[in-house]
Amino acid sequence: MKKNLFLLLALFCSLSLFAQNNQKEEDNSKFGMEFSAKLGYGTLVQPDMVDLLGAVNVGNMLFTYQLLENTSISTGIGLLEFQANGVSAGENYALDQMYLRIPLYLNLRLALFEEQLDNKLQAYAGGGVYANTLLTEKIQTLNGTHKNKNLGWNGGFGFEVGMKFEVSNNFIFGIGFESQSDFSSMKKNDVKRKLEKISTVNFSLGFKF
């Protein structure tokens, strides 16, 4: 997953060069697209089991729409991978889960050093909700590997802050921090689970249509 994220970032950088070569003097489009890669950690919570801390890797593709001058909404799809090691009944195991997420965020931004940087540097904050489903789960032990699919849906909320820099009229690079947590548990086959205290560092590339 990490290798895929780095390849994705390399692709975005290539697209940014294309955007710079084709930028326009004025761009009044309210529609855009944002790609992001996120790295961090989170906690898997299941009843009658010890909370499991693990690594989180996320890749998002979002469509954005500008509502007001400094306000926009974003939605799209994302893949979240959760990896952890644990012990159950005295046996070690490695857990690998892949989630599909559909977020809906409201975003605000504020220009910094307007005169010096011509509104190119911005602070931003965003928050909203997401729908979440566990696509695949792989549990590996010394005795074998167990795989499960389509393990239910739930919902959650998140909040992020950071900085964005407008490289050209059509291209924006961002870096920030995000916190997310499921507010309900997904359930299938009498097993409940949810992810809490997800904290990530985010890298994003945005394009205007």
Side-chain angles (χ1 to χ4, degrees):
M1 182 68 177
K2 290 182 180 179
K3 183 182 295 184
N4 292 337
L5 292 176
F6 290 129
L7 290 175
L8 199 57
L9 283 175
L11 175 62
F12 297 159
C13 291
S14 299
L15 290 175
S16 72
L17 294 176
F18 176 81
Q20 285 181 304
N21 292 331
N22 294 276
Q23 62 178 304
K24 300 177 182 178
E25 292 299 324
E26 293 184 3
D27 184 3
N28 297 319
S29 174
K30 293 186 177 182
F31 292 94
M33 180 175 287
E34 181 177 285
F35 301 91
S36 62
K38 309 177 183 182
L39 303 173
Y41 60 88
T43 302
L44 177 65
V45 178
Q46 298 183 96
D48 302 322
M49 294 188 68
V50 175
D51 293 351
L52 193 61
L53 180 67
V56 170
N57 303 300
V58 186
N60 280 352
M61 181 181 71
L62 304 177
F63 294 96
T64 62
Y65 179 77
Q66 185 176 332
L67 296 174
L68 300 172
E69 182 179 358
N70 296 316
T71 306
S72 65
I73 58 173
S74 58
T75 188
I77 59 173
L79 289 175
L80 181 150
E81 183 181 38
F82 177 82
Q83 295 177 313
N85 296 314
V87 179
S88 178
E91 184 177 24
N92 294 325
Y93 67 90
L95 176 67
D96 192 340
Q97 296 178 326
M98 183 66 70
Y99 295 83
L100 172 68
R101 293 193 162 197
I102 305 174
L104 177 61
Y105 269 41
L106 178 67
N107 311 293
L108 306 173
R109 66 178 189 270
L110 176 66
L112 303 176
F113 307 109
E114 299 182 33
E115 296 182 358
Q116 296 88 339
L117 297 176
D118 194 24
N119 292 328
K120 292 186 178 297
L121 181 64
Q122 301 173 346
Y124 75 90
V129 296
Y130 57 83
N132 183 57
T133 183
L134 180 51
L135 295 177
T136 62
E137 178 182 70
K138 182 172 70 174
I139 303 173
Q140 188 173 10
T141 68
L142 293 176
N143 296 322
T145 300
H146 306 277
K147 296 182 180 180
N148 300 300
K149 295 182 179 180
N150 304 320
L151 297 175
W153 287 82
N154 68 347
F157 60 90
F159 177 77
E160 61 179 339
V161 295
M163 308 283 288
K164 291 186 176 181
F165 184 77
E166 186 174 324
V167 179
S168 72
N169 289 342
N170 299 320
F171 172 61
I172 300 173
F173 172 76
I175 183 170
F177 302 92
E178 185 171 11
S179 178
Q180 294 182 329
S181 188
D182 295 351
F183 54 64
S184 63
S185 298
M186 59 181 65
K187 181 179 179 180
K188 188 171 183 180
N189 300 327
D190 296 324
V191 177
K192 292 183 178 180
R193 55 174 67 84
K194 63 179 178 178
L195 287 176
E196 293 184 347
K197 303 175 183 177
I198 304 170
S199 298
T200 57
V201 179
N202 302 352
F203 303 92
S204 65
L205 294 172
F207 303 90
K208 295 180 181 178
F209 294 151

